[in-house]
């Protein structure tokens, strides 16, 4: 338990001194946690010390694991503070254990430089000036400037000119509120979460494979499996509580349970491995295909043909899909904003020669070494192929080719590497061995990330080791609500709630009905993903951008372009945050946001578990939640303001829907607030301070609070007068109920430690698609009459044409009811690889002690002292060759920019000679000025794990 308030938080009249209080309380808590009997006097002292504490459950603010925590608060009104944090023993995810960040969940809220009031760039006269200095302004003045600039953006660029950098750290209610105003109000789909950088490849992999998003398994697989294999996932630092469960499983049966780590460099996760495979960046595609080759060519008896015939089809798609970079003809390219060095890489987006490394893998697709591959923009199209065609795609991946291609450590012998590959395949193939494959950013942040994800399922499907207790391929989410808010709520530019898509007319019609919009309101074009929003700002299309619950200017690759565009072009950038990070400093207006326990909220974690919490304390200063900020903005725009006709860039027209709106009872001056947030359904959710869960808890949005914040209309904000959080939750949840995304009601979630959806008849689902555990699978299996133990009931892309590896031969689409897919996907080189000038691979990522851009964790003294700066982790020989020593400063330089950082050769991260690792939490070591903004063309997820750099003394 972390008790941290440096001031005396217990009353002056208490008999215990602070030192005695801490000792007795902590000792009693620790003794109870391990089952020791507690001396009566110690227990009495602890009870006395904590007598005025209020404990309540909440979810952790960090990572996608979804740990439960307990928060203790004391005081009243503005003086109530969080005084202690501990793991929640009743939480099934972490069972009372927290990681180092988890214990500081409250302390992140009390940094000395919390933003407490709106700040606007102004000149000496107090007028807005893009080159001015920040000065405090009222919420009303801030919203006047936002309104003015949104109207300007809509006039000049239409809905595509208004954009939002959204977040996998939004609460579910925040994300849903933002989406309603953006897509239903502004008719703009230019809202995309930083989860695009995090899990988009996993999402498209799920869609393509299963027809529905999110994992089929759950964390219980860890205790049930015999084998844990990590692919590009440093679980020991990124998901430490899950890794503690893996460690416990390994130690419970060390002979039977095997752990293998497949990585580009050695790190803390590797310390538990029975063996570790260090591979050349990007070649994990070949590793997956090697295992599949071993199954198909050398162990065909291992294929469960009964399962395959009932549940699986084979598929392929185009391979010349490019790398998701800027293309020739785009405005900023034509205008010369990209120099010759940068264009050396970008030209590969249009065409590239087939290399000697990838030629064998591409031969079944009709390419040979030296052929010029002309790339078209990435497509999601694919078609059914025969098993024989799939088998042909695997032919190149024999042991010799894969070992030479993939070996990542030049100091390891080829024989040693080959043995590891054979042992890896044997673990998967062993008949009665259960296997779980975990991955995070290594497979997702990848120019072929979607392919990589689908390849994982191939192996598990052929062996019938998917969607079963203890077996399955499992994508671990990076952010606390990348699943719950980004994916399930649908805050991606192309999505709507519960797996619906903006391009689907039926999905738009359903959403319009639920949201009370005229038919035709919603925009069918959803292509402004995060990197495109940045590029559209640089091209002058996006004129207004709002950064919500993220740090878009620190977390995006090739950042110098986006920072320059934000600061120097004709646009208006707003950042809502708790602290002044890089994005805030880049902006024209900064809004102070309430942080996690200063508001009601909910998150959805990586195992489909949804968790809710209540507001524990009042926000600092004038800070207000992002939900409130969106709802307040909606008051300033009416039917006549937003629902006229627009022409989009692609020539499509959004119709004028105002007449239809009038028929629905709306007036020209009816505000979006009245339509989207304060309608009759919303007002039916009453404030009830005498009943659970509202009783005894603050609610700054719905009731106002003792701070008497002067709101966006210049008056003291007194609250909305209805239970907005419950309304937003219940309306959002209505989209998925009955459709395999079922969620429980608002009150239930406040009684439990989360539930894994689909929640059917009050019961959560542990393993989806499995008839024994999933009521939807049971229903579908009964209806389709195939007698299968599984039903892969996702509805997307379930009718396909057919063909060969090289293309479609029969355009007639065949239905694939309740079936999943095995894909043929080849190894391909990334667009940038080390050469004579830029001779090293750069990989970026996180460290245990810090979260993402460090905006919160760098404000916690204990975490800052533990890791005060980002280091360049490199092999000692690599440093020696460059005349560098530990602790010395060096330059890390790419074709895009350079940063200075200290050398570390003896640290926790131990790269092979050709690779260096630099974490990105430190804004002073702004490593994303160096990284390449190449993406998976299918998922649009950025590849931060590989670009070419040179390193030299600073």
């Amino acid at each position: 338990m972390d008790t941290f308030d440096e001031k005396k938080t217990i009353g002056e009249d208490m008999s215990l001194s602070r030192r005695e209080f801490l000792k007795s309380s902590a000792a009693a808590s620790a003794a109870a946690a391990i089952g020791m009997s507690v001396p009566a006097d110690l227990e009495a002292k602890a009870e006395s010390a904590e007598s005025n504490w209020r404990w309540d459950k909440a979810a952790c603010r960090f990572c996608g694991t979804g740990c439960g925590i307990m928060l203790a608060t004391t005081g009243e009104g503005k003086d109530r503070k969080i005084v202690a944090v501990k793991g929640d023993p009743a939480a099934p995810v972490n069972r009372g254990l927290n990681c180092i960040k988890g214990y500081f969940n409250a302390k992140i809220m009390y940094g000395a430089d919390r933003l407490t009031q709106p700040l606007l760039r102004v000149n000496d006269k107090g007028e807005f000036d893009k080159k001015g200095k920040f000065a405090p302004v009222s919420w009303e003045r801030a919203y006047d400037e936002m309104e003015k600039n949104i109207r300007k953006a809509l006039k000049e660029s239409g809905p595509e000119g208004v954009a939002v950098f959204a977040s996998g750290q939004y609460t579910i209610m925040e994300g849903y509120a933002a989406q309603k105003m953006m897509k239903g109000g502004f008719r703009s789909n230019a809202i995309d979460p930083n989860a695009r950088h995090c899990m988009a490849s996993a999402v498209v992999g799920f869609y393509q494979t299963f027809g529905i998003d999110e994992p089929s398994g759950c964390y219980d697989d860890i205790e049930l499996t015999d084998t844990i294999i990590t692919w590009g996932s440093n679980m020991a630092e990124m998901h430490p509580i899950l890794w503690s469960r893996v460690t416990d499983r390994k130690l419970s049966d060390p002979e039977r349970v095997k752990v293998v780590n497949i990585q580009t460099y050695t790190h803390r996760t590797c310390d538990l491995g029975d063996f570790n495979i260090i591979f050349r960046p990007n070649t994990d595609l070949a590793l997956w295909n090697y295992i599949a080759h071993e199954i198909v060519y050398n162990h065909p008896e291992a294929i469960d043909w009964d399962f395959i015939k009932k549940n699986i089809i084979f598929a392929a798609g185009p391979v010349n899909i490019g790398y998701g970079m800027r293309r020739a003809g785009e405005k900023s390219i034509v205008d010369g904003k990209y120099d010759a060095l940068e264009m050396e890489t970008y030209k590969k987006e249009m065409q590239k020669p087939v290399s000697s490394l990838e030629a064998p893998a591409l031969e079944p697709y009709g390419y040979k070494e030296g052929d010029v591959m002309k790339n078209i923009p990435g497509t999601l199209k694919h078609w059914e192929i025969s098993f024989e065609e799939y088998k042909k795609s695997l032919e190149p991946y024999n042991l010799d080719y894969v070992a030479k291609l993939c070996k990542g450590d030049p100091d390891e012998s080829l024989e040693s590497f080959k043995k590891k590959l054979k042992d890896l395949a044997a673990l998967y193939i062993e008949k009665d061995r259960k296997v779980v494959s975990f991955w995070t950013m290594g497979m997702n942040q990848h120019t072929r990330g979607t392919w990589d994800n689908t390849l994982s399922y191939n192996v598990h499907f052929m062996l019938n080791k998917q969607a079963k207790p203890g077996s399955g391929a499992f994508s671990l989410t990076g952010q606390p609500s990348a699943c719950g808010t980004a994916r399930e709520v649908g805050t991606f530019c192309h999505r709507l709630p519960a797996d619906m898509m903006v391009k689907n007319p039926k999905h738009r019609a359903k959403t319009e009905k639920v949201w009370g919009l005229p038919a035709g309101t919603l925009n069918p074009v959803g292509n402004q993903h995060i990197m495109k929003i940045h590029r559209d700002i640089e091209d002058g299309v996006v004129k207004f951008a709002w950064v919500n619950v993220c740090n878009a200017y620190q977390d995006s690759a090739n950042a110098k372009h986006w920072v320059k565009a934000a600061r120097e072009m004709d646009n208006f950038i707003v950042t809502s945050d708790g602290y002044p990070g890089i994005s805030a400093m880049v902006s024209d207006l900064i809004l102070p946001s309430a942080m996690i326990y200063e508001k009601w909220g909910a998150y959805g974690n990586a195992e489909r578990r949804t968790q809710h919490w209540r507001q524990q304390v009042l926000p600092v200063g004038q800070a207000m939640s992002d939900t409130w900020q969106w709802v307040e903005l909606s008051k300033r725009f009416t039917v006549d303001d937003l629902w006229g006709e627009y022409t989009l860039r692609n020539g499509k027209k959004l119709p004028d829907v105002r007449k239809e709106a009038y028929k629905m009872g709306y007036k020209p001056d009816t505000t979006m607030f009245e339509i989207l947030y304060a309608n009759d359904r919303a007002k039916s959710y009453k404030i009830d301070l005498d009943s659970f869960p509202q009783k005894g808890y603050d609610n700054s949005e719905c009731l106002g609070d003792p701070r008497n914040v002067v709101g966006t209309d210049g008056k003291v904000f007194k609250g909305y007068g209805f239970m907005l959080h419950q309304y937003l939750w219940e309306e959002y949840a209505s989209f998925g109920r009955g459709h395999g995304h079922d969620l429980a009601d608002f009150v239930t979630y406040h009684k439990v430690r989360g539930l894994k959806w689909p929640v059917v008849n009050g019961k959560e689902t542990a393993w989806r698609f499995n008839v024994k555990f999933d009521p939807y699978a049971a229903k579908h299996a009964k209806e389709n009459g195939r007698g299968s133990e599984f039903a892969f009931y996702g509805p997307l892309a379930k009718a396909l044409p057919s063909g060969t590896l090289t293309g479609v031969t029969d355009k007639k689409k065949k239905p694939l009811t309740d079936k999943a897919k095995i894909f043929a996907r080849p190894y391909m080189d990334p667009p940038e690889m080390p050469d004579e000038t830029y001779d090293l691979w750069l990989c970026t990522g996180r460290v245990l002690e810090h979260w993402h851009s460090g905006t919160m964790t760098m404000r916690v003294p204990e975490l800052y002292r533990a890791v005060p700066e980002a280091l360049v982790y490199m092999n000692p020989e690599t440093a020696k060759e460059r005349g560098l020593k530990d602790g010395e400063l060096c330059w890390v330089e790419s074709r895009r920019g350079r940063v200075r950082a200290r050398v570390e050769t003896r640290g926790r991260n131990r790269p092979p000679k050709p690779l260096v690792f630099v974490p990105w939490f430190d804004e002073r070591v702004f490593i994303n000025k160096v990284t390449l903004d190449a993406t998976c063309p299918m998922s649009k997820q950025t590849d931060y794990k590989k670009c070419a750099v040179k390193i030299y003394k600073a």
Side-chain angles (χ1 to χ4, degrees), residues 237-368:
E237 294 202 53
M238 306 313 133
H239 297 87
I241 298 304
L242 293 183
W243 194 243
S244 72
R245 291 175 61 171
V246 170
T247 302
D248 183 60
R249 176 62 184 137
K250 171 64 178 172
L251 297 178
S252 71
D253 190 354
E255 291 303 313
R256 173 62 179 171
V257 177
K258 302 298 179 187
V259 176
V260 181
N261 301 291
I262 303 170
Q263 316 291 343
T264 58
Y265 62 95
T266 303
H267 45 59
R268 286 180 171 176
T269 300
C270 299
D271 295 341
L272 189 68
D274 288 272
F275 61 92
N276 303 301
I277 293 173
I278 304 300
F279 67 95
R280 186 205 305 251
N282 224 65
T283 61
D284 42 353
L285 296 152
L287 293 175
W288 278 118
N289 279 323
Y290 163 73
I291 301 168
H293 176 279
E294 282 295 291
I295 296 168
V296 169
Y297 281 88
N298 297 330
H299 295 277
E301 74 285 354
I303 301 175
D304 189 330
W305 277 110
D306 181 61
F307 170 82
I308 296 288
K309 289 175 181 176
K310 288 179 179 178
N311 300 292
I312 304 295
I313 64 103
F314 297 89
V319 297
N320 60 329
I321 58 175
Y323 302 98
M325 299 184 289
R326 276 198 177 275
R327 296 185 64 81
E330 292 185 12
K331 189 174 187 304
S332 292
I333 296 276
V334 174
D335 289 349
K337 293 182 180 179
Y338 291 76
D339 63 30
L341 272 178
E342 292 176 280
M343 291 307 297
E344 288 178 8
T345 301
Y346 283 114
K347 67 183 181 182
K348 296 177 184 175
E349 179 61 28
M350 278 56 76
Q351 62 180 43
K352 65 171 289 277
V354 173
S355 76
S356 60
L357 291 175
E358 62 191 353
L362 289 171
E363 189 276 332
Y365 299 84
Y367 292 93
K368 62 181 184 298

Side-chain angles (χ1 to χ4, degrees), residues 469-498:
S471 281
F474 198 124
S475 165
L476 290 171
T477 314
Q479 297 189 75
S481 204
C483 290
T485 309
R487 294 156 72 172
E488 294 160 25
V489 171
T491 53
F492 284 93
C493 65
H494 63 291
R495 289 179 70 163
L496 293 166

Side-chain angles (χ1 to χ4, degrees), residues 751-898:
K751 296 177 179 178
V752 300
R753 264 55 176 188
L755 294 169
K756 298 186 289 287
W757 63 264
V759 181
V760 181
N761 297 324
K763 186 178 179 181
E764 63 180 4
T765 300
W767 290 276
R768 287 200 303 165
F769 313 126
N770 188 315
V771 169
K772 292 180 182 177
F773 304 99
D774 182 347
Y776 278 96
K779 176 176 178 286
H780 280 256
K782 184 177 180 180
E783 289 174 352
N784 66 36
R786 289 187 285 110
S788 175
E789 298 175 14
F790 300 88
F792 298 103
Y793 50 78
L796 298 177
K798 286 300 182 73
L800 294 180
S802 56
T804 67
L805 292 175
T806 57
V808 172
T809 56
D810 183 354
K811 293 182 179 180
K812 185 178 180 181
K813 290 187 176 182
K814 185 173 89 175
L816 314 166
T817 305
D818 293 340
K819 291 191 175 185
K821 300 164 192 169
I822 287 176
F823 278 92
R825 308 286 205 196
Y827 162 75
M828 290 185 72
D829 294 338
E832 190 170 273
M833 301 170 72
D835 55 23
E836 289 184 5
T837 304
Y838 301 94
D839 58 338
L840 295 169
W841 293 102
L842 168 67
C843 180
T844 66
R846 293 200 287 114
V847 294
L848 169 65
E849 294 82 357
H850 290 296
W851 174 243
H852 280 199
S853 60
T855 313
M856 294 176 287
T857 53
M858 289 287 273
R859 266 79 182 181
V860 177
E862 294 87 344
L863 297 176
Y864 178 83
R865 286 195 296 266
V867 182
E869 62 182 323
L871 304 172
V872 184
Y873 294 91
M874 65 174 70
N875 189 282
E877 291 299 313
T878 304
K880 186 177 179 181
E881 289 170 2
R882 288 155 180 77
L884 296 168
K885 297 178 181 178
D886 275 303
E888 286 188 336
L889 289 169
C890 70
W891 287 106
V892 182
E893 182 177 333
S894 73
R895 289 172 172 84
R896 292 156 295 282
R898 67 177 189 170

Side-chain angles (χ1 to χ4, degrees), residues 722-734:
F722 57 92
M723 191 55 180
L724 175 66
H725 315 292
Q726 189 171 7
Y727 160 62
L728 291 172
W729 170 262
E730 294 295 350
E731 184 179 273
Y732 151 64
S734 71

Side-chain angles (χ1 to χ4, degrees), residues 125-280:
K125 299 178 182 178
E127 302 163 331
F128 168 67
D129 185 340
K130 197 167 179 70
K131 295 182 179 179
K133 295 181 179 180
F134 284 115
V137 294
S138 65
W139 277 107
E140 183 178 26
R141 173 74 190 282
Y143 270 59
D144 287 345
E145 295 293 342
M146 289 173 71
E147 178 187 346
K148 180 173 70 176
N149 281 281
I150 289 170
R151 291 183 185 278
K152 176 183 174 184
L154 288 169
K155 184 176 181 180
E156 294 184 15
S157 297
E160 291 161 310
V162 177
V164 172
F165 294 104
S167 180
Q169 297 165 63
Y170 269 144
T171 69
I172 288 171
M173 293 76 150
E174 286 168 347
Y176 186 66
Q179 175 171 230
K180 287 192 79 175
M181 185 58 199
M182 278 297 287
K183 294 177 181 176
F186 294 132
R187 309 177 78 181
S188 172
N189 292 324
I191 174 172
D192 209 54
N194 57 3
R196 178 72 69 176
H197 296 315
C198 166
M199 299 305 293
S201 293
V203 172
V204 181
F206 282 123
Y207 279 151
Q208 294 228 313
T209 303
F210 299 98
I212 192 172
D213 192 12
E214 299 203 27
S216 47
C218 63
Y219 297 159
D220 292 352
D221 287 325
I222 295 170
E223 284 76 28
L224 298 171
T225 194
D226 306 311
T227 319
I228 294 101
I229 301 179
T230 70
W231 292 75
S233 179
N234 186 358
M235 286 178 71
E237 294 202 53
M238 306 313 133
H239 297 87
I241 298 304
L242 293 183
W243 194 243
S244 72
R245 291 175 61 171
V246 170
T247 302
D248 183 60
R249 176 62 184 137
K250 171 64 178 172
L251 297 178
S252 71
D253 190 354
E255 291 303 313
R256 173 62 179 171
V257 177
K258 302 298 179 187
V259 176
V260 181
N261 301 291
I262 303 170
Q263 316 291 343
T264 58
Y265 62 95
T266 303
H267 45 59
R268 286 180 171 176
T269 300
C270 299
D271 295 341
L272 189 68
D274 288 272
F275 61 92
N276 303 301
I277 293 173
I278 304 300
F279 67 95
R280 186 205 305 251

Side-chain angles (χ1 to χ4, degrees), residues 360-380:
L362 289 171
E363 189 276 332
Y365 299 84
Y367 292 93
K368 62 181 184 298
E369 183 179 353
D371 284 353
V372 175
M373 178 180 284
K374 293 186 177 181
N375 293 323
I376 58 173
T379 175
L380 299 178

